[in-house]
Structure formats: C-alpha cells, structure tokens
Amino acid sequence: MTKARKLELVCPAGTPAALRSAVEAGAHAIYCGFNDETNARNFPGLNFSRDEMAEGIAFAHRHDAKVLVAINTFPRAGAFGLWSKAVDDAHRFGADAVILADLGLLDYAAGRPGLRLHLSVQAAAANADAISVYAKSFGVRRVVLPRVLTVQEIAAINRDIDVETEVFVFGGLCVMAEGRCALSSYATGKSPNMNGACSPASHVEYRAEGAALVSRLGGFAIHRVGAKDPAPYPTLCKGSFRVGDYQGHVFEDPVSLDAAALIPQLAEAGVTALKIEGRQRSRAYTTAVVKEFRAAVDAHAAGRPIAASALRELTEGQRTTAGAYRKAWR
Amino acid sequence: MFEARSIPQFPAVGALALRFAPLWPLSLAGQRLTDRLGKRHPALFSRLGDQADKVFLIDPTDLPCVFVMRPRPERPQFSAHRRDEEVGWDARIAGPLAALIGLVHGAYDGDALFFSRDLAIEGDTAAVVALRNAIDNEELDLVREATALLGPLAALATPPAQKLASLIGAVSGAPLTRVATGRFE
C-alpha cells in the first residue's frame, strides 16, 4: 500500500481539561464553544469562559494544534450582539477559525480580516451549489457536511467545489438534516438551533419504575427499557413509540456513528478533515476516541491497514453504524 | 480500550465492617476534604452556576452508606448517612464506589457508564450534568487532595500515598489515582 494524504483530525472539547486531553491524545484541531447559547452544546457546567478560551487557544498553539470556535446557533431576534461579540472575541483570542451557520453572522464575520470561516453542519449545506454560494458570498474556506450523504455523494460534491470539506466519523447521529430539527422544541419549548441544546438536561428525567427505567422529555415518557438493556437516550428521535401495531424506534435506532473503517474511502472522496462528535462527553471519552482515530489517520497516511475500532463501549446506544456513508437500503 | 464493565466492587468484608462502624469520622473527613476542594478548586463550584444550590445524593451501591453533598461555593457541605436514614435530595448519582471515584479521576466516561447501566441517575438531570462537567474539568486526584489536608507535611506525604494508591489500584482494578497521559505535564 502506498502512502496517502494525511487527514486532519478535528476533536471535541467541552471543557479546558478536555481540550488539553484532546491535544495530548493527538488532535490536529479542537473545536469548542463559549459558555452561552451561541453554540449548539449549551449544557450546564460545559464550555469555556472568555479567559478559558484565550488560555485554551494559547495552549493548543504551543503544541501545534488549532482551535476552531463553534458559534453555530442561529441568533435570536434582537440579540445579535451576543453572537457578534462571540465572533469578535474568538478572533481577538487568535482562533484558527470560527464555525458558523447563520447568514447574518457569516456576513458579519466575513468583514473581520484574517478570520477563517468554516460552515457549520447546522447550515445543512448538502450540495455543491449551496456550498459555492457560501464560499463566494462570505469566503467560507471549509464546510462541515451533514450526516446524510453517501461517500459517493461526498466525492461528487468535492469534484465541484473549491473549498475544504470536513465529515463526521464518530459519535452521536441525528436523524434530521442538522439545523432543520425542531423535534425536541415541541416537548421542551427550547429550540436546539437557537438555545443550543437538543433535549436540554433541565427537561430530561430518568426514573426507575419497578424493574424498568423510563426516560422522559418535558414530562413525556419517550422510552422504557428493562433491567438488562442499555439506558435509553433522552431525545425524541431515539425514543420508542407505539404506532398502530408497531412498537419501537419510529424515527431512528439509538446507534452511534463509527466510520473508522471508511477513512480510506473518505480520503479518496477528497475530504480534508475528519470530525469527532461529543463536546458534551468527558475527557476520558475524548482521550480514548482521539487516540484511536489519530492512530487510524496515521495508519492510513503511512499506507498501513486501519485496526478495527474498539470504541463501542463509549457509544450512546452501545452499538455503531457507518450511517448514511453506506446506505444499505439503496 | 475503554472497558465500562470491568468495574470492581468494594470488598464485601469492608462493606460489612462499615455497616457497624460509626459514620461521623467519614462525615468529618469528607467535610474537611470538601472545604479543601472549595479553597483549592474554586472553579469547581463556580462552574456549577445555579446548580450549586442543589442537594446531591452520592450513592455508592456497594457500601452500606450514602453521602449528601451541597456544593455551595460559600459553604460546601458533606455528610455520610445510613441507607435507612431519610435524607432529602435533588439529584441522586448511584454506582459502585470504584465507578464514582473513576469518574472523578477521569478514568471513566459518565455517559458510557450510564448507557451501560453501571451508573444510575435520578431527579434533577441538569444538576447531575453540571456536577459531572465541573468535576471532569478540575482533573482532581483525591489522594493528592487528601494529603493536602496535612499542610506543610503534604509534600512529604503525597508521593508515598500516591504510590500506595497506585499499588492498591493495580491489584483491585479500581482507578484510585488520576488518569494522565503526562505528555505535557
């Protein structure tokens, strides 16, 4: 096997400790967000204060890693200043890029000299024409592709665009095209795309009822499992419901993405960067997943075979899938 | 590789002894450690935000007692209680003692332990998530924190205490010291 182009590994960090863990484990780039609703992982106790972000960027740069700041929710009417300040602060701290989704915010950030713009998966740009509009209008340099495309579709997109593409290779999956899901807001009154949390923890409840464990969102029971089953996931899309004679996962099975085995095909399809999901997870998760994928990326670059993944225990449903990259139903 | 299911249980003989032992020494030691954490790691409590007002029931399922923690920045509180004692709480976190210590030391991922049913949570989920994130960010080593209570003697006591903890951890499989790669430390 011949040597191949090295892919960039983009890793999550929900806390400064997770950022340091990701850098130590071999991340080429780390994505993270401020501790407010400007990013799509606005969870209690998570994310970075302004001082922590400045220190985190400096730490990463000292160790030759990049920091990409996610400001990827959609500004609320009348509150644009919160989002524009996040862009300005990320720029001031020396972020290597900001990850944006909103058109108005992209326009604002495009006016900041030297600030590299990445298009968030929240923008759901899933074809070459849409991506080209973002590139020409705002100078977007990289696009994070939605998790709805096959490897062949990604290759087709890369043939027709002049910007980099980044794809998810590990972590939770969304059944919806990202940025277009309002499912949990019907149960919680909170928008995943504006308030920054799908199924916010304040609306999630787990309760043991006899031998069963029941998960509720906004007071609605969405899944019930037996004593030996994996704990249920707290989102409506992965709930279990009765529809007519059918009972089960109506929208999506609770499985996680693991595309480690597809790294050679994704590279062949012209992808620049591989992204790991999980800013809401611990530094133990970050360390384990980043180490595994860094080894896989290095193996691919050196022309060696990629070892089988050993990360199933870390996934949400304790089961993994190659997701839309391999659409077996087609 | 991450092994969520290889969590050791507290020795049954130790749990039996604890059933008949007074709990006030545990409460006293826990309170002193909590006070010390508040001084050495103020971000642990500030990161909790509004959730610092909540009452957490820490339930090591392989011990005959539970712990109640109120992580208020101005006066954090800790106490040990018998299982049959009535204690009020907002959020309960339950699992083998080694799992709870492993979460603090960064050896285990909380979500993975939860999905595998090695860890259970009840009550205020937002409070649990905030506490998990705040603790994870502090990169605590409980042995180091405990020996810090010795004041000027801490520098002498910490290395042998950590060696002993590592040894017991290696034999028992419990993550008794903080996990660190050490590359940049």
Side-chain angles (χ1 to χ4, degrees):
Chain A
M1 208 177 207
T2 54
K3 289 188 177 181
R5 175 173 57 89
K6 191 158 187 172
L7 295 160
E8 181 179 309
L9 190 58
V10 182
C11 306
T15 61
L19 181 145
R20 290 190 294 273
S21 297
V23 173
E24 291 190 14
H28 298 119
I30 295 95
Y31 67 104
C32 48
F34 292 115
N35 53 0
D36 56 31
E37 57 194 306
T38 60
N39 80 93
R41 285 287 183 268
N42 182 23
F43 293 173
L46 204 69
N47 294 317
F48 290 63
S49 68
R50 260 47 184 184
D51 287 346
E52 288 170 342
M53 185 65 81
E55 288 164 17
I57 290 171
F59 176 87
H61 287 175
R62 280 200 301 278
H63 299 290
D64 299 322
K66 297 177 197 165
V67 174
L68 321 176
V69 179
I71 310 169
N72 57 347
T73 46
F74 294 85
R76 281 182 289 107
F80 189 77
L82 182 66
W83 277 261
S84 61
K85 186 171 187 324
V87 169
D88 287 337
D89 287 343
H91 190 202
R92 187 161 54 88
F93 298 152
D96 296 279
V98 287
I99 310 170
L100 310 176
D102 180 70
L103 287 171
L105 203 59
L106 280 159
D107 187 53
Y108 179 84
R112 303 286 164 281
L115 182 59
R116 183 180 167 96
L117 308 188
H118 290 187
L119 189 68
S120 169
V121 69
Q122 286 280 97
N127 60 66
D129 296 289
I131 291 166
S132 294
V133 169
Y134 284 106
K136 284 179 190 152
S137 305
F138 309 113
V140 162
R141 307 274 295 278
R142 180 183 293 180
V143 175
V144 185
L145 295 175
R147 285 162 274 191
V148 296
L149 300 166
T150 62
V151 174
Q152 291 78 10
E153 287 167 333
I154 292 168
I157 287 173
N158 276 324
R159 279 195 294 272
D160 290 340
I161 61 174
D162 296 323
V163 297
E164 300 169 352
T165 52
E166 179 176 309
V167 298
F168 282 93
V169 286
F170 191 83
L173 277 172
C174 277
V175 67
M176 306 293 182
E178 287 91 346
R180 296 175 186 171
C181 180
L183 199 53
S184 77
S185 65
Y186 293 111
T188 67
K190 297 273 188 185
S191 161
N193 307 311
M194 295 171 79
N195 301 111
C198 167
S199 303
S202 54
H203 292 67
V204 172
E205 184 193 11
Y206 286 96
R207 189 182 296 171
E209 295 182 2
L213 177 64
V214 180
S215 63
R216 285 187 170 77
L217 182 68
F220 300 101
I222 59 175
H223 203 172
R224 178 187 300 270
V225 298
K228 294 192 185 303
D229 298 320
Y233 202 66
T235 59
L236 283 170
C237 61
K238 288 166 187 162
S240 180
F241 306 98
R242 184 175 295 136
V243 181
D245 295 332
Y246 174 80
Q247 181 166 345
H249 298 289
V250 175
F251 299 103
E252 182 182 32
D253 280 7
V255 296
S256 290
L257 177 68
D258 184 353
L262 293 176
I263 286 174
Q265 289 94 314
L266 291 168
E268 189 71 21
V271 164
T272 298
L274 306 176
K275 184 167 207 155
I276 294 167
E277 186 272 347
R279 281 192 285 143
Q280 74 283 17
R281 303 292 290 269
S282 68
R283 64 182 201 276
Y285 166 95
T286 303
T287 300
V289 179
V290 175
K291 273 185 180 170
E292 182 99 0
F293 272 88
R294 178 60 192 265
V297 165
D298 288 349
H300 170 256
R304 299 193 306 269
I306 293 169
S309 174
L311 298 170
R312 191 173 57 82
E313 292 283 358
L314 277 170
T315 61
E316 287 163 354
Q318 315 269 290
R319 288 188 294 142
T320 58
T321 172
Y325 296 135
R326 276 185 188 145
K327 280 183 183 165
W329 60 90
R330 281 195 167 179
Chain B
M1 179 181 162
F2 183 88
E3 286 285 355
R5 293 194 180 276
S6 59
I7 297 164
Q9 297 287 307
F10 192 78
V13 73
L16 187 66
L18 197 55
R19 188 182 295 272
F20 301 105
L23 292 183
W24 66 264
L26 263 181
S27 289
L28 190 66
Q31 181 63 56
R32 288 200 65 192
L33 188 62
T34 306
D35 289 341
R36 189 76 194 175
L37 284 173
K39 289 193 180 85
R40 281 165 59 94
H41 301 275
L44 173 63
F45 298 93
S46 60
R47 189 168 271 274
L48 283 169
D50 295 343
Q51 307 299 340
D53 287 330
K54 302 287 169 58
V55 179
F56 294 87
L57 183 77
I58 311 298
D59 183 352
T61 49
D62 46 358
L63 294 188
C65 59
V66 296
F67 307 117
V68 172
M69 190 173 67
R70 296 174 177 84
R72 293 168 190 142
E74 67 281 5
R75 180 78 179 94
Q77 293 178 313
F78 179 96
S79 54
H81 302 266
R82 301 286 177 202
R83 287 198 169 275
D84 54 5
E85 209 177 314
E86 280 283 327
V87 286
W89 48 268
D90 298 300
R92 172 177 172 262
I93 305 166
L97 181 66
L100 300 171
I101 292 173
L103 284 174
V104 174
H105 284 155
Y108 300 133
D109 175 69
D111 284 20
L113 289 185
F114 174 72
F115 288 118
S116 65
R117 308 292 292 273
D118 291 297
L119 194 74
I121 63 168
E122 263 188 290
D124 192 325
T125 309
V128 174
V129 170
L131 182 66
R132 187 274 309 265
N133 290 333
I135 287 175
D136 197 51
N137 184 52
E138 286 307 306
E139 300 177 278
L140 298 173
D141 184 311
L142 291 175
V143 174
R144 182 179 286 274
E145 298 303 330
T147 54
L149 292 170
L150 299 173
L153 296 177
L156 280 175
T158 302
Q162 283 186 312
K163 269 190 184 164
L164 182 64
S166 296
L167 191 65
I168 297 171
V171 172
S172 67
L176 298 181
T177 53
R178 178 170 81 90
V179 173
T181 61
R183 252 180 84 193
F184 300 144
E185 294 196 67

